[in-house]
Amino acid sequence: MGCTADCIVLSLSISPPLPTAPCVVIAHAVVHPLVLLSVTDHHARSIQQRSSNKRVVGVLLGQDNGKSVNVANSFGIPFEEDEKDSKTWFLDHNYIEGMYDMFRKVNAKERMIGWYHTGPKLRASDQEINDLFKRFIARPVMVIVDVRPNTVGIPTDAYFGVEEIKDDGTETRKTFLHVSSAIEAEEAEEIGVEHLLRDIKDSTTTTLATRVAEQLASLQGLQSRISDIQKYLVDVSEGRMPVNHQVVYHLQDALNLLPDLNDGELTKSFAASTNDQMLVVYLSSLLRAVIALHALVDNKESIGLAELEEGGEGFKKKKVEKKDETENKTKS
């Protein structure tokens, strides 16, 4: 079953539009692990049913206090789209109303605050879907959850729909405003996630290997962010993208925090600090090797003494048996 975006908007025109929310700057969006697990399960079931890797769409539930959004729960909804034509898509809004009524009976504190999809990037139809959700809520948040297993870093990106006002006085344009997102969990969720990871994690790996793998993942995430910054600066310098002064100011602040390695005194102090740390690691390794050799020698010595004691007892036992045999022969 398929339908165009215009058809869906017309079908919802009977409900009065909600009042426009005041323009409030959103600080950040908090996504709970339960939402990530639900979205991943939704995407996995969709792949099994449709045998395709298309994105899935769902509704986000939680709280919006005006400055931050707390995404605590979610549920998937039927969604289909034409990969070749971004204007053709279908979303069952009756299913949204029915599911939201049931969730509201279970927990009245969790209200509809937005929607999600598994992108992993923005699509051309996202603005139309976001306008459709404005029929339910005044200011929906859109969260893109990257469900790919090789994802590095935080797998969520949060956006709010805004109208961009141009300096030349031309017509405003609808676009998405990116806001920071974080993964936070309550105590009950932390316990559940720990049990889940305990079942998934390979028990044969050591703690050192796990720590090295985590540091490697962090460095890969940092590298991907630096690559994005480099690509953005190249596009700006070549005129393919407009200059965003706020982004440039943040980059300037980050570069100002970097040390000046051309300074000889600073380089010397860095080298001295690194050498001191490496000296501690070297001495620790030597101490560990000496302790291991000492334990090996002690173990060898204890095993040798045990073998000598066992051999002495066996010799005495054989000597007593021969003496008894000699006495028996003499008596006979």
Side-chain angles (χ1 to χ4, degrees):
M1 180 179 181
C3 184
T4 62
D6 299 334
C7 174
I8 296 177
V9 173
L10 289 175
S11 66
L12 291 172
S13 60
I14 57 175
S15 59
L18 296 176
T20 305
C23 182
V24 180
V25 178
I26 300 297
H28 65 283
V30 177
V31 183
H32 288 246
L34 179 63
V35 177
L36 300 180
L37 294 175
S38 177
V39 174
T40 305
D41 179 68
H42 183 196
H43 183 262
R45 286 187 287 106
S46 174
I47 292 177
Q48 293 178 356
Q49 293 175 0
R50 297 185 297 186
S51 299
S52 62
N53 199 15
K54 293 183 178 180
R55 66 170 179 169
V56 295
V57 176
V59 177
L60 299 175
L61 305 175
Q63 297 82 30
D64 182 1
N65 60 8
K67 294 184 179 180
S68 63
V69 176
N70 182 41
V71 184
N73 204 348
S74 66
F75 62 86
I77 56 178
F79 176 78
E80 291 289 342
E81 66 178 341
D82 189 353
E83 294 289 340
K84 299 180 180 179
D85 184 9
S86 61
K87 297 291 184 181
T88 305
W89 49 272
F90 167 77
L91 191 148
D92 192 349
H93 55 86
N94 293 324
Y95 182 85
I96 296 176
E97 295 174 354
M99 287 293 293
Y100 179 56
D101 289 338
M102 288 190 290
F103 272 88
R104 189 166 50 185
K105 293 178 182 178
V106 176
N107 192 348
K109 294 182 179 179
E110 294 181 353
R111 299 183 178 275
M112 191 186 303
I113 58 174
W115 61 289
Y116 72 83
H117 71 83
T118 57
K121 299 294 182 182
L122 288 169
R123 301 286 185 93
S125 58
D126 288 348
Q127 192 62 249
E128 297 177 353
I129 300 175
N130 195 71
D131 292 339
L132 186 148
F133 272 91
K134 288 183 179 179
R135 302 281 178 170
F136 300 95
I137 45 180
R139 186 183 56 184
V141 58
M142 182 187 70
V143 177
I144 299 178
V145 182
D146 193 350
V147 296
R148 293 176 297 181
N150 57 349
T151 302
V152 178
I154 297 178
T156 57
D157 288 311
Y159 299 89
F160 278 92
V162 295
E163 290 188 359
E164 184 180 8
I165 301 176
K166 298 183 178 180
D167 297 334
D168 54 3
T170 57
E171 185 180 358
T172 60
R173 183 172 63 94
K174 291 183 178 180
T175 183
F176 282 107
L177 174 65
H178 181 268
V179 296
S180 61
S181 59
I183 309 297
E184 296 182 6
E186 298 178 355
E187 185 177 358
E189 286 181 308
E190 289 181 357
I191 297 173
V193 171
E194 287 179 0
H195 280 282
L196 180 64
L197 293 178
R198 190 179 302 171
D199 295 336
I200 297 175
K201 188 170 61 176
D202 188 4
S203 60
T204 59
T205 58
T206 61
T207 305
L208 179 60
T210 305
R211 291 176 59 186
V212 171
E214 292 174 352
Q215 291 183 357
L216 180 60
S218 300
L219 292 175
Q220 290 175 349
L222 178 61
Q223 183 182 9
S224 65
R225 298 294 185 273
I226 294 176
S227 299
D228 293 339
I229 294 173
Q230 181 186 9
K231 184 177 181 301
Y232 169 75
L233 294 176
V234 170
D235 292 340
V236 170
S237 63
E238 295 179 356
R240 291 196 295 266
M241 289 187 67
V243 179
N244 190 323
H245 295 287
Q246 187 176 4
V247 174
V248 175
Y249 293 153
H250 285 304
L251 290 177
Q252 187 63 49
D253 292 339
L255 293 175
N256 290 335
L257 295 174
L258 294 176
D260 184 11
L261 297 179
N262 294 325
D263 187 3
E265 291 293 331
L266 184 61
T267 305
K268 185 177 179 181
S269 62
F270 266 113
S273 178
T274 304
N275 290 335
D276 292 340
Q277 294 177 2
M278 292 297 103
L279 178 62
V280 174
V281 174
Y282 179 66
L283 291 176
S284 301
S285 301
L286 284 178
L287 185 60
R288 180 181 298 177
V290 170
I291 293 175
L293 288 173
H294 186 268
L296 180 62
V297 172
D298 284 346
N299 189 23
K300 185 70 175 177
E301 185 179 0
S302 60
I303 292 175
L305 290 175
E307 290 178 351
L308 288 175
E309 291 178 356
E310 290 179 358
E313 291 178 357
F315 179 74
K316 290 180 181 179
K317 187 175 181 181
K318 289 181 180 179
K319 189 175 181 180
V320 172
E321 290 178 353
K322 288 183 179 180
K323 185 178 180 181
D324 293 339
E325 290 179 358
T326 305
E327 291 178 354
N328 292 332
K329 289 180 180 179
T330 305
K331 291 179 180 179
S332 60

